[in-house]
Amino acid sequence: MLVRKTLEALKNFDVLFAEASNDGKRTLLRALINEIHMEADRKSIKNIVFWFTEGDSLSHFAVPVSDVQRVAS
């Protein structure tokens, strides 16, 4: 059931994102992004690591569940 809801949310991400509040947009992005790697100058993004990759089976898809909000320093 969770996998099906996750698939539907990902298929409709642009709609969800467009309709979300600013807090909702942050939550949606945090649910997708695992890590952001910055260049040494800390002004440019080197790469973004998502919680899933293109070759992953969504049956193994795991989004972390936490009430704690992460903040970049």
Side-chain angles (χ1 to χ4, degrees):
M1 182 74 153
L2 178 60
V3 171
R4 188 173 357 149
K5 287 183 180 183
T6 303
L7 282 171
E8 286 301 313
L10 290 174
K11 287 179 185 176
N12 298 312
F13 183 83
D14 56 340
V15 174
L16 291 171
F17 193 80
E19 294 178 2
S21 66
N22 286 339
D23 286 337
K25 288 177 181 181
R26 279 190 287 274
T27 300
L28 285 168
L29 291 174
R30 286 183 177 134
L32 294 177
I33 298 172
N34 183 5
E35 300 173 356
I36 299 175
H37 298 269
M38 303 297 292
E39 295 289 349
D41 65 5
R42 301 208 31 96
K43 294 181 182 181
S44 304
I45 296 173
K46 187 183 295 186
N47 69 331
I48 298 174
V49 178
F50 294 95
W51 286 105
F52 56 90
T53 60
E54 193 172 321
D56 284 348
S57 165
L58 286 179
S59 62
H60 298 102
F61 181 60
V63 174
V65 177
S66 174
D67 291 333
V68 178
Q69 297 294 321
R70 297 176 289 174
V71 178
S73 57

Short mmCIF file of all heavy atoms in Angstrom, two decimals:
data_model
loop_
_atom_site.label_atom_id
_atom_site.label_comp_id
_atom_site.label_asym_id
_atom_site.label_seq_id
_atom_site.Cartn_x
_atom_site.Cartn_y
_atom_site.Cartn_z
N MET A 1 0.83 -1.20 0.00
CA MET A 1 0.00 0.00 0.00
C MET A 1 0.87 1.26 0.00
O MET A 1 0.61 2.17 -0.76
CB MET A 1 -0.94 -0.04 1.21
CG MET A 1 -1.86 1.13 1.29
SD MET A 1 -3.15 0.95 0.06
CE MET A 1 -4.42 1.84 0.83
N LEU A 2 1.91 1.30 0.85
CA LEU A 2 2.81 2.46 0.90
C LEU A 2 3.52 2.65 -0.42
O LEU A 2 3.66 3.77 -0.91
CB LEU A 2 3.82 2.31 2.03
CG LEU A 2 4.84 3.43 2.17
CD1 LEU A 2 4.15 4.76 2.41
CD2 LEU A 2 5.82 3.13 3.27
N VAL A 3 3.97 1.55 -1.04
CA VAL A 3 4.67 1.64 -2.32
C VAL A 3 3.73 2.22 -3.37
O VAL A 3 4.13 3.08 -4.16
CB VAL A 3 5.22 0.27 -2.75
CG1 VAL A 3 5.75 0.32 -4.16
CG2 VAL A 3 6.30 -0.19 -1.78
N ARG A 4 2.49 1.80 -3.40
CA ARG A 4 1.53 2.31 -4.38
C ARG A 4 1.30 3.81 -4.18
O ARG A 4 1.27 4.57 -5.14
CB ARG A 4 0.21 1.56 -4.27
CG ARG A 4 -0.76 1.91 -5.37
CD ARG A 4 -2.00 1.07 -5.41
NE ARG A 4 -2.04 0.03 -4.42
CZ ARG A 4 -3.14 -0.44 -3.86
NH1 ARG A 4 -4.29 0.04 -4.21
NH2 ARG A 4 -3.11 -1.39 -2.97
N LYS A 5 1.16 4.25 -2.93
CA LYS A 5 0.97 5.67 -2.66
C LYS A 5 2.21 6.47 -3.04
O LYS A 5 2.12 7.58 -3.56
CB LYS A 5 0.62 5.89 -1.19
CG LYS A 5 -0.77 5.44 -0.84
CD LYS A 5 -1.10 5.75 0.59
CE LYS A 5 -2.51 5.30 0.92
NZ LYS A 5 -2.90 5.64 2.28
N THR A 6 3.39 5.90 -2.78
CA THR A 6 4.63 6.56 -3.14
C THR A 6 4.74 6.71 -4.65
O THR A 6 5.12 7.77 -5.15
CB THR A 6 5.84 5.78 -2.59
OG1 THR A 6 5.71 5.66 -1.18
CG2 THR A 6 7.14 6.48 -2.91
N LEU A 7 4.40 5.65 -5.39
CA LEU A 7 4.43 5.72 -6.85
C LEU A 7 3.49 6.79 -7.37
O LEU A 7 3.84 7.56 -8.26
CB LEU A 7 4.06 4.37 -7.46
CG LEU A 7 5.14 3.31 -7.45
CD1 LEU A 7 4.56 1.96 -7.89
CD2 LEU A 7 6.27 3.70 -8.36
N GLU A 8 2.29 6.86 -6.81
CA GLU A 8 1.33 7.87 -7.26
C GLU A 8 1.84 9.28 -6.95
O GLU A 8 1.70 10.18 -7.77
CB GLU A 8 -0.04 7.65 -6.59
CG GLU A 8 -0.80 6.47 -7.14
CD GLU A 8 -1.06 6.60 -8.64
OE1 GLU A 8 -1.50 7.69 -9.08
OE2 GLU A 8 -0.82 5.63 -9.37
N ALA A 9 2.44 9.45 -5.78
CA ALA A 9 2.98 10.77 -5.42
C ALA A 9 4.10 11.17 -6.37
O ALA A 9 4.17 12.32 -6.80
CB ALA A 9 3.48 10.76 -3.98
N LEU A 10 4.96 10.22 -6.73
CA LEU A 10 6.06 10.53 -7.64
C LEU A 10 5.55 10.83 -9.04
O LEU A 10 6.06 11.71 -9.73
CB LEU A 10 7.07 9.38 -7.68
CG LEU A 10 7.90 9.21 -6.41
CD1 LEU A 10 8.75 7.95 -6.52
CD2 LEU A 10 8.76 10.43 -6.16
N LYS A 11 4.53 10.10 -9.49
CA LYS A 11 3.96 10.35 -10.81
C LYS A 11 3.33 11.73 -10.89
O LYS A 11 3.33 12.37 -11.94
CB LYS A 11 2.90 9.29 -11.15
CG LYS A 11 3.48 7.94 -11.46
CD LYS A 11 2.38 6.94 -11.75
CE LYS A 11 2.93 5.55 -11.96
NZ LYS A 11 1.87 4.56 -12.14
N ASN A 12 2.80 12.20 -9.79
CA ASN A 12 2.11 13.49 -9.76
C ASN A 12 2.91 14.55 -9.00
O ASN A 12 2.35 15.50 -8.48
CB ASN A 12 0.73 13.32 -9.11
CG ASN A 12 -0.14 12.39 -9.89
OD1 ASN A 12 -0.25 12.51 -11.10
ND2 ASN A 12 -0.74 11.43 -9.23
N PHE A 13 4.23 14.38 -8.94
CA PHE A 13 5.06 15.26 -8.13
C PHE A 13 4.91 16.72 -8.53
O PHE A 13 4.77 17.60 -7.68
CB PHE A 13 6.54 14.86 -8.21
CG PHE A 13 7.42 15.70 -7.33
CD1 PHE A 13 7.54 15.39 -5.99
CD2 PHE A 13 8.10 16.79 -7.84
CE1 PHE A 13 8.33 16.16 -5.16
CE2 PHE A 13 8.90 17.57 -7.01
CZ PHE A 13 9.01 17.26 -5.67
N ASP A 14 4.91 17.00 -9.83
CA ASP A 14 4.82 18.39 -10.27
C ASP A 14 3.51 19.04 -9.83
O ASP A 14 3.48 20.20 -9.44
CB ASP A 14 5.03 18.51 -11.77
CG ASP A 14 4.08 17.68 -12.59
OD1 ASP A 14 3.50 16.72 -12.06
OD2 ASP A 14 3.91 17.98 -13.79
N VAL A 15 2.43 18.27 -9.85
CA VAL A 15 1.13 18.79 -9.41
C VAL A 15 1.16 19.03 -7.90
O VAL A 15 0.75 20.09 -7.42
CB VAL A 15 -0.01 17.82 -9.77
CG1 VAL A 15 -1.33 18.28 -9.20
CG2 VAL A 15 -0.10 17.66 -11.28
N LEU A 16 1.66 18.05 -7.15
CA LEU A 16 1.76 18.19 -5.70
C LEU A 16 2.63 19.39 -5.33
O LEU A 16 2.29 20.18 -4.46
CB LEU A 16 2.35 16.92 -5.07
CG LEU A 16 1.49 15.67 -5.08
CD1 LEU A 16 2.30 14.48 -4.62
CD2 LEU A 16 0.27 15.86 -4.21
N PHE A 17 3.78 19.51 -5.99
CA PHE A 17 4.72 20.58 -5.69
C PHE A 17 4.11 21.94 -5.98
O PHE A 17 4.26 22.88 -5.19
CB PHE A 17 6.02 20.38 -6.48
CG PHE A 17 7.15 21.23 -6.00
CD1 PHE A 17 7.88 20.86 -4.88
CD2 PHE A 17 7.48 22.39 -6.66
CE1 PHE A 17 8.93 21.65 -4.42
CE2 PHE A 17 8.53 23.19 -6.22
CZ PHE A 17 9.25 22.82 -5.09
N ALA A 18 3.43 22.07 -7.11
CA ALA A 18 2.83 23.35 -7.49
C ALA A 18 1.75 23.79 -6.50
O ALA A 18 1.58 24.98 -6.24
CB ALA A 18 2.24 23.25 -8.90
N GLU A 19 1.04 22.82 -5.92
CA GLU A 19 -0.06 23.14 -5.02
C GLU A 19 0.36 23.23 -3.55
O GLU A 19 -0.42 23.70 -2.72
CB GLU A 19 -1.17 22.10 -5.16
CG GLU A 19 -1.82 22.13 -6.53
CD GLU A 19 -2.88 21.06 -6.69
OE1 GLU A 19 -3.15 20.31 -5.74
OE2 GLU A 19 -3.44 20.98 -7.80
N ALA A 20 1.58 22.81 -3.24
CA ALA A 20 2.04 22.76 -1.84
C ALA A 20 2.41 24.14 -1.31
O ALA A 20 2.83 25.02 -2.06
CB ALA A 20 3.24 21.83 -1.73
N SER A 21 2.26 24.27 0.01
CA SER A 21 2.75 25.47 0.69
C SER A 21 4.28 25.41 0.70
O SER A 21 4.88 24.40 0.31
CB SER A 21 2.23 25.49 2.12
OG SER A 21 2.81 24.40 2.85
N ASN A 22 4.92 26.48 1.15
CA ASN A 22 6.39 26.47 1.22
C ASN A 22 6.89 25.34 2.13
O ASN A 22 7.86 24.66 1.78
CB ASN A 22 6.92 27.82 1.71
CG ASN A 22 6.83 28.89 0.64
OD1 ASN A 22 6.74 28.58 -0.54
ND2 ASN A 22 6.83 30.13 1.05
N ASP A 23 6.24 25.13 3.27
CA ASP A 23 6.62 24.03 4.15
C ASP A 23 6.40 22.68 3.47
O ASP A 23 7.20 21.77 3.60
CB ASP A 23 5.85 24.07 5.47
CG ASP A 23 6.33 25.18 6.39
OD1 ASP A 23 7.49 25.63 6.23
OD2 ASP A 23 5.55 25.60 7.27
N GLY A 24 5.30 22.56 2.74
CA GLY A 24 5.02 21.33 2.01
C GLY A 24 6.05 21.06 0.94
O GLY A 24 6.46 19.92 0.73
N LYS A 25 6.49 22.11 0.24
CA LYS A 25 7.52 21.95 -0.79
C LYS A 25 8.83 21.46 -0.19
O LYS A 25 9.49 20.57 -0.72
CB LYS A 25 7.74 23.27 -1.54
CG LYS A 25 6.60 23.62 -2.45
CD LYS A 25 6.79 24.94 -3.12
CE LYS A 25 5.57 25.23 -4.01
NZ LYS A 25 5.66 26.47 -4.71
N ARG A 26 9.21 22.03 0.96
CA ARG A 26 10.42 21.57 1.64
C ARG A 26 10.29 20.10 2.04
O ARG A 26 11.23 19.32 1.88
CB ARG A 26 10.70 22.43 2.88
CG ARG A 26 11.37 23.74 2.56
CD ARG A 26 11.84 24.44 3.81
NE ARG A 26 10.75 25.00 4.59
CZ ARG A 26 10.22 26.19 4.39
NH1 ARG A 26 10.67 26.96 3.43
NH2 ARG A 26 9.23 26.61 5.15
N THR A 27 9.14 19.72 2.53
CA THR A 27 8.91 18.32 2.94
C THR A 27 9.00 17.39 1.74
O THR A 27 9.61 16.32 1.82
CB THR A 27 7.54 18.18 3.63
OG1 THR A 27 7.53 19.03 4.78
CG2 THR A 27 7.29 16.74 4.05
N LEU A 28 8.40 17.77 0.62
CA LEU A 28 8.46 16.95 -0.59
C LEU A 28 9.90 16.76 -1.05
O LEU A 28 10.33 15.65 -1.39
CB LEU A 28 7.63 17.57 -1.71
CG LEU A 28 6.12 17.44 -1.58
CD1 LEU A 28 5.42 18.34 -2.58
CD2 LEU A 28 5.69 15.99 -1.77
N LEU A 29 10.67 17.84 -1.07
CA LEU A 29 12.07 17.75 -1.52
C LEU A 29 12.90 16.92 -0.56
O LEU A 29 13.73 16.11 -0.99
CB LEU A 29 12.66 19.15 -1.69
CG LEU A 29 12.09 19.94 -2.86
CD1 LEU A 29 12.64 21.36 -2.85
CD2 LEU A 29 12.37 19.25 -4.18
N ARG A 30 12.68 17.07 0.74
CA ARG A 30 13.43 16.26 1.72
C ARG A 30 13.10 14.78 1.60
O ARG A 30 13.92 13.93 1.92
CB ARG A 30 13.13 16.75 3.13
CG ARG A 30 13.82 18.05 3.44
CD ARG A 30 13.57 18.48 4.86
NE ARG A 30 14.31 19.69 5.15
CZ ARG A 30 13.81 20.74 5.76
NH1 ARG A 30 12.56 20.73 6.17
NH2 ARG A 30 14.56 21.79 5.98
N ALA A 31 11.89 14.48 1.15
CA ALA A 31 11.50 13.08 0.98
C ALA A 31 12.21 12.44 -0.21
O ALA A 31 12.33 11.22 -0.27
CB ALA A 31 9.99 12.97 0.80
N LEU A 32 12.69 13.24 -1.15
CA LEU A 32 13.37 12.73 -2.34
C LEU A 32 14.88 12.76 -2.24
O LEU A 32 15.56 11.90 -2.77
CB LEU A 32 12.95 13.54 -3.57
CG LEU A 32 11.50 13.44 -4.00
CD1 LEU A 32 11.26 14.36 -5.18
CD2 LEU A 32 11.13 12.02 -4.34
N ILE A 33 15.42 13.79 -1.57
CA ILE A 33 16.88 14.01 -1.57
C ILE A 33 17.52 13.41 -0.34
O ILE A 33 17.12 13.68 0.79
CB ILE A 33 17.17 15.52 -1.65
CG1 ILE A 33 16.63 16.09 -2.96
CG2 ILE A 33 18.66 15.78 -1.50
CD1 ILE A 33 16.70 17.60 -3.06
N ASN A 34 18.55 12.59 -0.57
CA ASN A 34 19.32 11.98 0.51
C ASN A 34 20.48 12.88 0.90
O ASN A 34 20.66 13.18 2.07
CB ASN A 34 19.82 10.61 0.07
CG ASN A 34 20.56 9.87 1.14
OD1 ASN A 34 20.65 10.31 2.27
ND2 ASN A 34 21.12 8.73 0.79
N GLU A 35 21.27 13.32 -0.08
CA GLU A 35 22.44 14.15 0.18
C GLU A 35 22.63 15.15 -0.95
O GLU A 35 22.30 14.86 -2.10
CB GLU A 35 23.72 13.30 0.23
CG GLU A 35 23.73 12.24 1.28
CD GLU A 35 24.96 11.34 1.16
OE1 GLU A 35 25.75 11.50 0.21
OE2 GLU A 35 25.12 10.46 2.01
N ILE A 36 23.21 16.30 -0.61
CA ILE A 36 23.63 17.28 -1.61
C ILE A 36 25.12 17.51 -1.38
O ILE A 36 25.53 17.88 -0.27
CB ILE A 36 22.86 18.60 -1.49
CG1 ILE A 36 21.36 18.36 -1.72
CG2 ILE A 36 23.41 19.63 -2.48
CD1 ILE A 36 20.50 19.58 -1.51
N HIS A 37 25.92 17.26 -2.41
CA HIS A 37 27.37 17.46 -2.33
C HIS A 37 27.72 18.78 -3.02
O HIS A 37 27.31 19.02 -4.15
CB HIS A 37 28.11 16.30 -3.01
CG HIS A 37 27.85 15.00 -2.34
ND1 HIS A 37 28.62 14.51 -1.32
CD2 HIS A 37 26.87 14.08 -2.53
CE1 HIS A 37 28.16 13.34 -0.92
NE2 HIS A 37 27.08 13.07 -1.63
N MET A 38 28.47 19.60 -2.30
CA MET A 38 28.84 20.92 -2.81
C MET A 38 30.29 20.93 -3.28
O MET A 38 31.12 20.17 -2.80
CB MET A 38 28.66 21.97 -1.71
CG MET A 38 27.26 22.05 -1.12
SD MET A 38 26.00 22.54 -2.29
CE MET A 38 26.44 24.23 -2.59
N GLU A 39 30.59 21.84 -4.21
CA GLU A 39 31.96 22.08 -4.64
C GLU A 39 32.71 22.75 -3.49
O GLU A 39 32.10 23.22 -2.53
CB GLU A 39 32.00 22.97 -5.88
CG GLU A 39 31.37 22.36 -7.11
CD GLU A 39 32.18 21.23 -7.72
OE1 GLU A 39 33.34 21.03 -7.33
OE2 GLU A 39 31.64 20.54 -8.60
N ALA A 40 34.03 22.80 -3.58
CA ALA A 40 34.85 23.39 -2.52
C ALA A 40 34.48 24.85 -2.23
O ALA A 40 34.57 25.29 -1.09
CB ALA A 40 36.32 23.27 -2.88
N ASP A 41 34.02 25.57 -3.26
CA ASP A 41 33.65 26.97 -3.05
C ASP A 41 32.33 27.14 -2.30
O ASP A 41 31.97 28.24 -1.91
CB ASP A 41 33.59 27.72 -4.39
CG ASP A 41 32.50 27.22 -5.32
OD1 ASP A 41 31.68 26.35 -4.93
OD2 ASP A 41 32.45 27.71 -6.46
N ARG A 42 31.62 26.02 -2.10
CA ARG A 42 30.33 25.98 -1.40
C ARG A 42 29.27 26.88 -2.06
O ARG A 42 28.29 27.25 -1.43
CB ARG A 42 30.48 26.30 0.08
CG ARG A 42 31.39 25.34 0.78
CD ARG A 42 31.18 25.09 2.23
NE ARG A 42 29.87 25.15 2.79
CZ ARG A 42 29.06 24.11 2.98
NH1 ARG A 42 29.43 22.90 2.61
NH2 ARG A 42 27.89 24.26 3.56
N LYS A 43 29.49 27.20 -3.33
CA LYS A 43 28.52 27.99 -4.08
C LYS A 43 27.88 27.19 -5.20
O LYS A 43 26.83 27.56 -5.70
CB LYS A 43 29.18 29.24 -4.66
CG LYS A 43 29.65 30.22 -3.60
CD LYS A 43 30.26 31.44 -4.22
CE LYS A 43 30.76 32.37 -3.12
NZ LYS A 43 31.34 33.58 -3.67
N SER A 44 28.54 26.09 -5.58
CA SER A 44 28.06 25.26 -6.68
C SER A 44 27.76 23.86 -6.19
O SER A 44 28.49 23.31 -5.36
CB SER A 44 29.11 25.19 -7.78
OG SER A 44 29.47 26.47 -8.22
N ILE A 45 26.71 23.28 -6.73
CA ILE A 45 26.35 21.91 -6.39
C ILE A 45 27.17 20.95 -7.24
O ILE A 45 27.20 21.07 -8.46
CB ILE A 45 24.85 21.67 -6.60
CG1 ILE A 45 24.05 22.56 -5.64
CG2 ILE A 45 24.50 20.20 -6.41
CD1 ILE A 45 22.55 22.52 -5.88
N LYS A 46 27.82 19.98 -6.58
CA LYS A 46 28.58 18.95 -7.28
C LYS A 46 27.63 17.86 -7.77
O LYS A 46 27.62 17.51 -8.93
CB LYS A 46 29.64 18.35 -6.36
CG LYS A 46 30.58 17.38 -7.06
CD LYS A 46 31.57 16.74 -6.09
CE LYS A 46 32.50 17.78 -5.51
NZ LYS A 46 33.56 17.19 -4.68
N ASN A 47 26.83 17.33 -6.86
CA ASN A 47 25.81 16.36 -7.24
C ASN A 47 24.77 16.22 -6.14
O ASN A 47 24.98 16.64 -5.02
CB ASN A 47 26.42 15.00 -7.61
CG ASN A 47 27.00 14.28 -6.42
OD1 ASN A 47 27.45 14.89 -5.46
ND2 ASN A 47 27.00 12.97 -6.47
N ILE A 48 23.65 15.63 -6.51
CA ILE A 48 22.55 15.38 -5.58
C ILE A 48 22.29 13.88 -5.57
O ILE A 48 22.16 13.27 -6.63
CB ILE A 48 21.27 16.13 -6.01
CG1 ILE A 48 21.53 17.65 -6.00
CG2 ILE A 48 20.10 15.78 -5.10
CD1 ILE A 48 20.38 18.47 -6.54
N VAL A 49 22.21 13.30 -4.38
CA VAL A 49 21.94 11.88 -4.23
C VAL A 49 20.50 11.73 -3.73
O VAL A 49 20.14 12.30 -2.70
CB VAL A 49 22.91 11.22 -3.22
CG1 VAL A 49 22.59 9.75 -3.02
CG2 VAL A 49 24.36 11.42 -3.65
N PHE A 50 19.70 11.01 -4.49
CA PHE A 50 18.31 10.79 -4.11
C PHE A 50 18.19 9.52 -3.29
O PHE A 50 19.11 8.70 -3.24
CB PHE A 50 17.43 10.69 -5.37
CG PHE A 50 17.37 11.98 -6.13
CD1 PHE A 50 18.23 12.23 -7.19
CD2 PHE A 50 16.46 12.96 -5.78
CE1 PHE A 50 18.19 13.43 -7.89
CE2 PHE A 50 16.41 14.17 -6.47
CZ PHE A 50 17.28 14.39 -7.53
N TRP A 51 17.06 9.33 -2.62
CA TRP A 51 16.82 8.12 -1.83
C TRP A 51 16.61 6.91 -2.72
O TRP A 51 16.56 5.80 -2.25
CB TRP A 51 15.60 8.32 -0.92
CG TRP A 51 15.89 9.21 0.23
CD1 TRP A 51 15.49 10.50 0.38
CD2 TRP A 51 16.67 8.89 1.38
NE1 TRP A 51 15.97 11.00 1.55
CE2 TRP A 51 16.70 10.03 2.19
CE3 TRP A 51 17.34 7.75 1.79
CZ2 TRP A 51 17.37 10.07 3.41
CZ3 TRP A 51 18.01 7.79 3.01
CH2 TRP A 51 18.03 8.93 3.79
N PHE A 52 16.50 7.11 -4.01
CA PHE A 52 16.33 6.02 -4.96
C PHE A 52 17.17 6.35 -6.18
O PHE A 52 17.54 7.49 -6.39
CB PHE A 52 14.86 5.86 -5.35
CG PHE A 52 14.27 7.13 -5.91
CD1 PHE A 52 14.32 7.40 -7.27
CD2 PHE A 52 13.70 8.06 -5.08
CE1 PHE A 52 13.81 8.56 -7.78
CE2 PHE A 52 13.17 9.25 -5.59
CZ PHE A 52 13.22 9.50 -6.93
N THR A 53 17.47 5.34 -6.98
CA THR A 53 18.15 5.57 -8.24
C THR A 53 17.30 4.98 -9.34
O THR A 53 16.37 4.22 -9.09
CB THR A 53 19.55 4.90 -8.26
OG1 THR A 53 19.39 3.51 -8.08
CG2 THR A 53 20.44 5.47 -7.18
N GLU A 54 17.62 5.31 -10.56
CA GLU A 54 16.81 4.89 -11.70
C GLU A 54 16.67 3.37 -11.79
O GLU A 54 15.64 2.86 -12.17
CB GLU A 54 17.42 5.43 -12.98
CG GLU A 54 16.51 5.32 -14.18
CD GLU A 54 17.09 6.05 -15.37
OE1 GLU A 54 17.67 7.12 -15.20
OE2 GLU A 54 16.95 5.51 -16.48
N GLY A 55 17.71 2.62 -11.41
CA GLY A 55 17.67 1.17 -11.51
C GLY A 55 17.04 0.46 -10.33
O GLY A 55 16.82 -0.73 -10.36
N ASP A 56 16.74 1.21 -9.25
CA ASP A 56 16.18 0.58 -8.06
C ASP A 56 14.76 0.11 -8.31
O ASP A 56 13.99 0.72 -9.03
CB ASP A 56 16.12 1.57 -6.89
CG ASP A 56 17.47 1.79 -6.25
OD1 ASP A 56 18.40 1.02 -6.55
OD2 ASP A 56 17.58 2.74 -5.46
N SER A 57 14.41 -0.97 -7.66
CA SER A 57 13.03 -1.42 -7.65
C SER A 57 12.32 -0.66 -6.54
O SER A 57 12.81 -0.58 -5.42
CB SER A 57 12.97 -2.93 -7.37
OG SER A 57 11.67 -3.29 -7.02
N LEU A 58 11.17 -0.09 -6.83
CA LEU A 58 10.47 0.67 -5.80
C LEU A 58 9.93 -0.23 -4.70
O LEU A 58 9.48 0.27 -3.68
CB LEU A 58 9.36 1.51 -6.43
CG LEU A 58 9.85 2.74 -7.18
CD1 LEU A 58 8.67 3.49 -7.78
CD2 LEU A 58 10.66 3.66 -6.32
N SER A 59 10.00 -1.54 -4.87
CA SER A 59 9.60 -2.41 -3.78
C SER A 59 10.61 -2.33 -2.65
O SER A 59 10.34 -2.67 -1.52
CB SER A 59 9.45 -3.85 -4.25
OG SER A 59 10.69 -4.34 -4.72
N HIS A 60 11.82 -1.84 -2.95
CA HIS A 60 12.85 -1.65 -1.94
C HIS A 60 13.01 -0.18 -1.58
O HIS A 60 13.91 0.19 -0.86
CB HIS A 60 14.20 -2.20 -2.43
CG HIS A 60 14.16 -3.65 -2.70
ND1 HIS A 60 14.06 -4.17 -3.97
CD2 HIS A 60 14.15 -4.71 -1.87
CE1 HIS A 60 14.02 -5.48 -3.91
NE2 HIS A 60 14.08 -5.84 -2.65
N PHE A 61 12.12 0.66 -2.10
CA PHE A 61 12.18 2.10 -1.90
C PHE A 61 11.90 2.41 -0.44
O PHE A 61 10.90 1.99 0.11
CB PHE A 61 11.15 2.76 -2.81
CG PHE A 61 11.11 4.26 -2.72
CD1 PHE A 61 12.22 5.02 -3.01
CD2 PHE A 61 9.95 4.89 -2.36
CE1 PHE A 61 12.17 6.40 -2.96
CE2 PHE A 61 9.89 6.27 -2.31
CZ PHE A 61 11.00 7.01 -2.60
N ALA A 62 12.78 3.17 0.18
CA ALA A 62 12.59 3.51 1.58
C ALA A 62 12.87 4.99 1.78
O ALA A 62 13.99 5.44 1.62
CB ALA A 62 13.52 2.69 2.45
N VAL A 63 11.85 5.72 2.10
CA VAL A 63 12.00 7.12 2.45
C VAL A 63 12.09 7.18 3.97
O VAL A 63 11.28 6.56 4.66
CB VAL A 63 10.79 7.95 1.95
CG1 VAL A 63 10.88 9.38 2.43
CG2 VAL A 63 10.72 7.90 0.44
N PRO A 64 13.07 7.89 4.50
CA PRO A 64 13.19 7.93 5.96
C PRO A 64 11.97 8.57 6.59
O PRO A 64 11.42 9.53 6.06
CB PRO A 64 14.44 8.79 6.18
CG PRO A 64 14.53 9.62 4.96
CD PRO A 64 13.99 8.77 3.84
N VAL A 65 11.55 8.03 7.70
CA VAL A 65 10.41 8.56 8.42
C VAL A 65 10.92 9.24 9.68
O VAL A 65 11.56 8.60 10.50
CB VAL A 65 9.42 7.43 8.78
CG1 VAL A 65 8.26 7.99 9.59
CG2 VAL A 65 8.94 6.74 7.53
N SER A 66 10.67 10.53 9.77
CA SER A 66 11.17 11.27 10.92
C SER A 66 10.35 12.52 11.11
O SER A 66 9.95 13.17 10.15
CB SER A 66 12.64 11.64 10.72
OG SER A 66 13.09 12.46 11.77
N ASP A 67 10.10 12.89 12.36
CA ASP A 67 9.42 14.14 12.66
C ASP A 67 10.44 15.27 12.80
O ASP A 67 10.08 16.43 12.90
CB ASP A 67 8.62 14.02 13.96
CG ASP A 67 7.44 13.08 13.80
OD1 ASP A 67 6.93 12.95 12.67
OD2 ASP A 67 7.02 12.49 14.80
N VAL A 68 11.71 14.92 12.82
CA VAL A 68 12.78 15.90 12.99
C VAL A 68 13.08 16.54 11.64
O VAL A 68 13.32 15.85 10.67
CB VAL A 68 14.06 15.24 13.55
CG1 VAL A 68 15.18 16.27 13.67
CG2 VAL A 68 13.78 14.58 14.88
N GLN A 69 13.07 17.85 11.58
CA GLN A 69 13.38 18.57 10.35
C GLN A 69 14.88 18.74 10.24
O GLN A 69 15.54 19.12 11.20
CB GLN A 69 12.70 19.94 10.34
CG GLN A 69 11.20 19.86 10.37
CD GLN A 69 10.64 19.25 9.11
OE1 GLN A 69 11.12 19.52 8.02
NE2 GLN A 69 9.63 18.44 9.25
N ARG A 70 15.45 18.45 9.08
CA ARG A 70 16.87 18.63 8.86
C ARG A 70 17.14 20.04 8.37
O ARG A 70 16.38 20.58 7.58
CB ARG A 70 17.38 17.62 7.84
CG ARG A 70 17.24 16.18 8.33
CD ARG A 70 17.66 15.24 7.27
NE ARG A 70 16.63 15.28 6.21
CZ ARG A 70 16.74 14.64 5.07
NH1 ARG A 70 17.78 13.94 4.80
NH2 ARG A 70 15.78 14.72 4.17
N VAL A 71 18.22 20.64 8.83
CA VAL A 71 18.56 21.99 8.44
C VAL A 71 20.00 22.02 7.95
O VAL A 71 20.88 21.48 8.61
CB VAL A 71 18.40 22.97 9.63
CG1 VAL A 71 18.81 24.36 9.23
CG2 VAL A 71 16.99 22.95 10.16
N ALA A 72 20.22 22.62 6.80
CA ALA A 72 21.60 22.76 6.29
C ALA A 72 22.25 23.93 7.00
O ALA A 72 21.64 24.96 7.21
CB ALA A 72 21.57 23.00 4.78
N SER A 73 23.50 23.74 7.37
CA SER A 73 24.21 24.82 8.06
C SER A 73 24.95 25.70 7.07
O SER A 73 25.17 25.38 5.96
CB SER A 73 25.19 24.26 9.06
OG SER A 73 26.10 23.39 8.42
#
